[in-house]
């Protein structure tokens, strides 16, 4: 799978800030490109993971006086890729473009580290609503690297119909369904699905973590972000921003940011409860996406048939490819979830 320009030229989250301490070096993958992240005294650098001298992986090096040092011959590179020093040689290296490492753009905010491989990306990542709202409690949940395609993970979280079966008992039940209205709204640069219902879902997570939910909205912000919002009659009850970073053609790295209203319960307790109830759901999705990808690999390519529940049609893939949608609101669809 090759990545469309709308994906390869965008900002992507690649790591949590807490996992890159001062003096630390970390290798990450983005769109089949290995990157060496490092944190020096002046901040974070992101270099293509290849020393220009003898193509040794820079991610195996160390930070020395704010520069990333290649462990093969000791060449040292500043965050902008400038070769600061070639140990043992008296030559001035800073002005010699031949000696530079390839630097990529990096941005750090709200506990996340973002990288853009292209200058075509905007000045900084465009983050969805409430991502940094100080009136909410926030925590990150790093998911590791999964087998499968990032796009299939996006489609998974935008699809409510799999939850009755794959997540039976945790989110919804396959044997006890509730009537809902599904309302799809297309925007030029995103798409959302609202689920309106008269009572919360019957799974354990909804029964224990929610009281008065009447509406939930999942919105895809291309190329890599889905934000799901659960709303009660008076206020937001939970907001989950899921970022699916394409690591390679057949792996992706998901990050989830959970946001809840400040209240009587401390943030650490809410975090523990959410993790406890969601851990099996995350494991189920991970297995499902890996198995789905295994079938696609065996047959050489995906062979999807759309059914009555696939009310988003091809619009997710249009946005993934960088195409704009015609703004519109679909007629409500009655369903049993």
């Amino acid at each position: 799978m090759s990545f469309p320009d709308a994906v390869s030229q965008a900002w992507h989250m690649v790591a949590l800030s807490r996992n890159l301490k001062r003096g630390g070096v970390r290798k990450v993958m983005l769109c089949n490109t290995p990157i060496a992240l490092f944190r020096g005294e002046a901040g974070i650098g992101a270099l293509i993971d290849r020393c220009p001298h003898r193509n040794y992986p820079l991610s195996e090096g160390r930070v020395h006086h704010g520069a990333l040092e290649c462990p093969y011959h000791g060449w040292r590179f500043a965050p902008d890729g400038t070769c600061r020093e070639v140990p043992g040689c008296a030559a001035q290296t800073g002005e010699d473009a031949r000696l530079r490492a390839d630097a990529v753009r990096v941005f750090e905010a709200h506990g996340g580290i973002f990288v853009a491989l292209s200058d075509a990306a905007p000045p900084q990542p465009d983050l969805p609503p409430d991502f940094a709202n100080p009136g909410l409690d926030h925590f990150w949940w790093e998911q590791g690297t999964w087998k499968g395609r990032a796009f299939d993970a996006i489609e998974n979280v935008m699809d409510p119909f799999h939850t009755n079966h794959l997540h039976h008992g945790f989110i919804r039940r396959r044997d006890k369904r509730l009537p809902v209205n599904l309302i799809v709204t297309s925007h030029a640069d995103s798409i959302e699905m609202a689920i309106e219902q008269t009572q919360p879902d019957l799974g354990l997570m909804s029964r224990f973590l929610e009281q008065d939910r009447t509406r939930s909205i999942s919105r895809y912000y291309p190329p890599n972000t889905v934000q799901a919002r659960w709303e009660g009659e008076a206020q937001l009850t939970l907001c989950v921003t899921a970022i699916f970073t394409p690591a390679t053609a057949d792996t992706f790295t998901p990050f989830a940011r959970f946001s809840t209203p400040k209240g009587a319960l401390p943030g650490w307790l809410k975090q523990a409860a959410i993790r406890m109830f969601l851990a099996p759901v995350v494991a189920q999705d991970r297995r499902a996406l890996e198995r789905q990808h295994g079938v696609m690999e065996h047959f050489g390519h995906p062979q999807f048939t759309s059914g009555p529940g696939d009310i988003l049609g091809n619009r997710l893939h249009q946005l993934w490819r960088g195409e704009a949608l015609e703004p519109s609101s679909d007629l409500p669809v009655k369903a049993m979830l």
Side-chain angles (χ1 to χ4, degrees):
M1 177 185 177
S2 60
F3 297 103
D5 289 345
V7 176
S8 61
Q9 296 180 358
W11 284 100
H12 294 275
M13 186 171 170
V14 294
L16 296 181
S17 297
R18 66 177 182 236
N19 291 335
L20 188 67
K21 306 298 185 183
R22 183 172 174 177
V25 184
R26 181 170 181 172
K27 177 180 179 177
V28 297
M29 292 293 298
L30 173 60
C31 294
N32 293 322
T33 303
I35 298 167
L37 291 179
F38 67 101
R39 189 187 295 276
E41 294 85 348
I44 295 179
L47 306 177
I48 300 299
D49 197 13
R50 177 184 60 204
C51 180
H53 181 217
R54 289 296 183 266
N55 286 199
Y56 201 86
L58 292 171
S59 59
E60 295 186 13
R62 63 169 184 151
V63 177
H64 181 79
H65 296 311
L68 181 55
E69 180 183 271
C70 177
Y72 197 2
H73 296 87
W75 288 27
R76 296 171 185 148
F77 302 96
D80 66 356
T82 300
C83 182
R84 285 188 177 172
E85 184 180 359
V86 175
C89 301
Q92 296 296 314
T93 61
E95 300 301 322
D96 192 339
R98 298 178 304 109
L99 308 182
R100 293 178 61 90
D102 294 323
V104 295
R105 297 164 64 193
V106 62
F107 183 85
E108 184 174 22
H110 314 303
I113 300 172
F114 301 79
V115 164
L117 298 176
S118 170
D119 290 337
Q124 63 186 51
D126 187 14
L127 302 174
D130 287 325
F131 196 84
N133 186 342
L136 301 175
D137 289 323
H138 305 277
F139 75 89
W140 282 106
W141 191 355
E142 185 179 16
Q143 308 289 322
T145 297
W146 294 18
K147 183 72 172 180
R149 303 186 306 176
F151 176 76
D152 293 323
I154 291 166
E155 189 176 59
N156 169 274
V157 297
M158 288 294 293
D159 164 35
F161 285 94
H162 81 282
T163 58
N164 294 84
H165 287 266
L166 188 64
H167 306 309
H168 169 66
F170 290 101
I171 295 181
R172 297 184 173 95
R173 297 180 61 91
R174 58 175 174 262
D175 55 343
K176 295 180 180 180
R177 292 175 176 258
L178 299 175
V180 301
N181 284 330
L182 306 177
I183 303 170
V184 176
T185 304
S186 297
H187 308 274
D189 59 354
S190 63
I191 190 168
E192 67 182 50
M193 179 187 292
I195 303 176
E196 295 182 342
Q197 56 197 95
T198 57
Q199 67 181 93
D201 296 318
L202 300 177
L204 287 173
M205 189 174 71
S206 297
R207 289 165 57 194
F208 281 92
L209 298 181
E210 298 183 78
Q211 298 297 324
D212 62 346
R213 171 160 59 97
T214 58
R215 178 181 172 91
S216 63
I217 304 172
S218 296
R219 185 163 178 170
Y220 172 44
Y221 296 89
N224 60 7
T225 302
V226 175
Q227 187 178 82
R229 304 170 65 88
W230 287 263
E231 300 174 352
E233 294 182 359
Q235 65 173 355
L236 175 77
T237 60
L238 174 65
C239 175
V240 183
T241 304
I243 300 174
F244 301 96
T245 299
T248 65
D250 57 5
T251 62
F252 66 94
T253 307
F255 300 90
R257 184 168 173 85
F258 292 81
S259 306
T260 56
K262 292 182 182 295
L265 292 178
W268 67 265
L269 182 58
K270 289 186 289 184
Q271 179 177 167
I274 290 172
R275 284 178 178 268
M276 180 178 68
F277 284 107
L278 270 185
V281 174
V282 170
Q284 289 166 342
D285 275 330
R286 184 169 190 164
R287 285 194 300 269
L289 290 165
E290 181 175 356
R291 290 169 179 170
Q292 175 193 42
H293 190 72
V295 171
M296 292 190 293
E297 281 188 317
H298 178 82
F299 288 98
H301 62 281
Q303 302 178 51
F304 295 155
T305 298
S306 292
D310 299 308
I311 61 177
L312 296 179
N314 195 43
R315 286 174 285 186
L316 288 177
H317 203 249
Q318 287 179 260
L319 290 167
W320 171 263
R321 296 195 304 261
E323 300 172 12
L325 300 181
E326 184 70 28
S328 64
S329 293
D330 296 6
L331 293 175
V333 174
K334 293 186 180 298
M336 298 293 292
L337 292 179

